[in-house]
Amino acid sequence: MRADAARNRAKVLDAARELFAEKGFDVPLDEIAGRAGVGPGTVYRHFPTKQALFQAVTEARVATMIASANEPSDDPGGALVAFLGRMAEEAAAKRDLSDAITVPSELRDSLHTALGGLLRRAQEVGAVRTDVTTRDLVALMKGMLQSMHEGANPAVLLEIVVSGLQSSRKP
Amino acid sequence: MRADAARNRAKVLDAARELFAEKGFDVPLDEIAGRAGVGPGTVYRHFPTKQALFQAVTEARVATMIASANEPSDDPGGALVAFLGRMAEEAAAKRDLSDAITVPSELRDSLHTALGGLLRRAQEVGAVRTDVTTRDLVALMKGMLQSMHEGANPAVLLEIVVSGLQSSRKP
DNA sequence: TGCCAACCGGGGCGTGCGTTCCGTATCGTC
DNA sequence: GACGATACGGAACGCACGCCCCGGTTGGCA
């Protein structure tokens, strides 16, 4: 790879990181190219599609989260709560995480699977009501994360969801 | 107003009702015109903008909900829960309600205000934790309603949110 | 230093949508 | 039954966006 190509690739990644974090996946690709100081064609030379660029930007961070979710714990209930807290914290600062849950990709699927595992283990020790499905949890998270970009209080929302999950099933 | 004009207006409203309920606000206006058996121009003869049509369709139903939210109750906690339940039920069947909360309009503002009133009264009798703001509640509802169109279990989600709202504030 | 391959930039294409315009058809009245 | 106002329909416009192409440029090796 030529030196200027590597330089431009890095500039594109930097700009994409900033803008995806700031405005989410919906930011126009031309805007990313503009901030990187290159043309749109250059972006497509390095990444075949917009989603590929998004994935390249979020991959490392999300993979770390997934790994931490998958490592065993002697307190599965606490592990789930901690994980949700970490996601809330992250989503409050950067807008791309909430899109990483939504935009179709292998990464998204792994994240859902990891959440499912956390949920199942928490349910097995009785820390979370058993009628909640992975799908329900993902939906809740999605709503919660998106809400954080509209002025809602992350901590309060998180507490509500967590204590809701822990509540016993209605008779 | 000419007879055919009235007929077409009704056909447009019917088609819009169906399609907004089925696919939400994002349904293309041409599709509404198509189902109504008229051209797009005809739609614009009766409604100045797509949002106006949306408002005309949702106005009656949402206004009813707002009215029921605003009438006094001797059990403010139960009133809030009942209202949330009614919204969840409605949103599970029709996709337009979740958009009515989001799409800017006077109707949306009234709905937010009504929710705020319900929340405040429930908090005054100690039925709901006091650190929840109207904004938080709206965010929660928004997330919950949108989740219902993705296979989540409405009843479970509602229970989680309700018991989360009722939980005492963390120390 | 010269040459070729790699790369760049941005103009342009295709698509989908909300909205508008205007020639034509239809309604209701005289 | 004819005429004017009213309404219709759909082609067309403007816009925004993802994506591609090509003439020009630049980098690195011989």
Side-chain angles (χ1 to χ4, degrees):
Chain A
M1 176 148 74
R2 253 166 56 171
D4 56 344
R7 229 180 358 249
N8 276 327
R9 190 189 154 90
K11 283 197 292 185
V12 167
L13 275 172
D14 282 347
R17 233 186 304 277
E18 286 177 29
L19 284 171
F20 280 144
E22 186 181 335
K23 309 190 178 182
F25 182 74
D26 278 348
V27 67
L29 198 130
D30 289 26
E31 199 175 330
I32 297 177
R35 176 164 313 192
V38 303
T42 303
V43 177
Y44 281 95
R45 174 165 309 277
H46 294 290
F47 304 95
T49 183
K50 190 186 176 186
Q51 296 200 6
L53 175 58
F54 183 74
Q55 180 153 348
V57 162
T58 49
E59 190 149 42
R61 252 183 325 138
V62 176
T64 304
M65 300 201 72
I66 291 175
S68 86
N70 284 334
E71 64 190 20
S73 159
D74 52 358
D75 176 15
L80 175 61
V81 171
F83 187 76
L84 295 187
R86 220 171 308 139
M87 289 201 71
E89 201 177 309
E90 186 88 2
K94 312 203 166 183
R95 208 180 172 89
D96 50 355
L97 180 60
S98 32
D99 288 334
I101 294 195
T102 305
V103 174
S105 71
E106 317 125 29
L107 217 57
R108 184 199 61 167
D109 298 338
S110 310
L111 191 56
H112 288 197
T113 305
L115 264 172
L118 274 173
L119 174 65
R120 186 177 42 74
R121 291 194 291 278
Q123 286 172 327
E124 279 169 2
V125 300
V128 167
R129 50 192 294 165
T130 55
D131 57 349
V132 181
T133 66
T134 299
R135 188 173 282 218
D136 294 332
L137 180 59
V138 168
L140 264 177
M141 283 308 299
K142 216 182 281 190
M144 211 182 81
L145 298 192
Q146 283 173 359
S147 302
M148 309 227 150
H149 312 300
E150 297 168 16
N153 186 328
V156 170
L157 249 52
L158 181 64
E159 281 180 30
I160 290 177
V161 169
V162 166
S163 56
L165 286 173
Q166 293 166 343
S167 74
S168 55
R169 193 197 307 211
K170 277 264 182 70
Chain B
M1 175 146 74
R2 251 166 59 173
D4 57 343
R7 230 181 356 250
N8 276 328
R9 191 189 152 89
K11 283 197 291 183
V12 167
L13 275 172
D14 282 347
R17 233 187 303 275
E18 287 177 26
L19 284 172
F20 279 144
E22 186 181 334
K23 308 190 179 182
F25 182 75
D26 278 349
V27 68
L29 198 131
D30 289 27
E31 198 175 330
I32 296 177
R35 175 163 315 191
V38 304
T42 303
V43 176
Y44 279 93
R45 174 162 308 277
H46 294 289
F47 303 95
T49 182
K50 189 186 176 186
Q51 297 198 5
L53 175 59
F54 184 74
Q55 181 154 347
V57 161
T58 50
E59 189 149 42
R61 253 185 321 139
V62 176
T64 304
M65 299 201 72
I66 292 175
S68 85
N70 284 334
E71 66 190 19
S73 159
D74 51 358
D75 176 15
L80 175 61
V81 170
F83 187 76
L84 296 187
R86 219 170 310 137
M87 289 201 70
E89 201 176 311
E90 187 89 2
K94 312 203 165 182
R95 207 181 173 88
D96 50 356
L97 179 59
S98 33
D99 289 334
I101 293 196
T102 305
V103 174
S105 72
E106 317 125 30
L107 217 56
R108 184 200 60 166
D109 298 339
S110 310
L111 190 55
H112 288 195
T113 306
L115 263 173
L118 274 173
L119 173 65
R120 186 178 42 74
R121 291 193 290 277
Q123 286 172 328
E124 280 169 2
V125 299
V128 167
R129 50 191 294 165
T130 55
D131 57 350
V132 180
T133 67
T134 299
R135 189 173 281 217
D136 293 334
L137 180 59
V138 169
L140 264 177
M141 285 307 299
K142 215 182 281 191
M144 211 183 82
L145 298 192
Q146 283 172 359
S147 302
M148 309 226 152
H149 311 299
E150 297 169 15
N153 186 329
V156 171
L157 250 52
L158 181 63
E159 280 180 31
I160 291 178
V161 169
V162 165
S163 56
L165 286 173
Q166 292 167 343
S167 74
S168 56
R169 193 195 309 209
K170 278 262 181 71

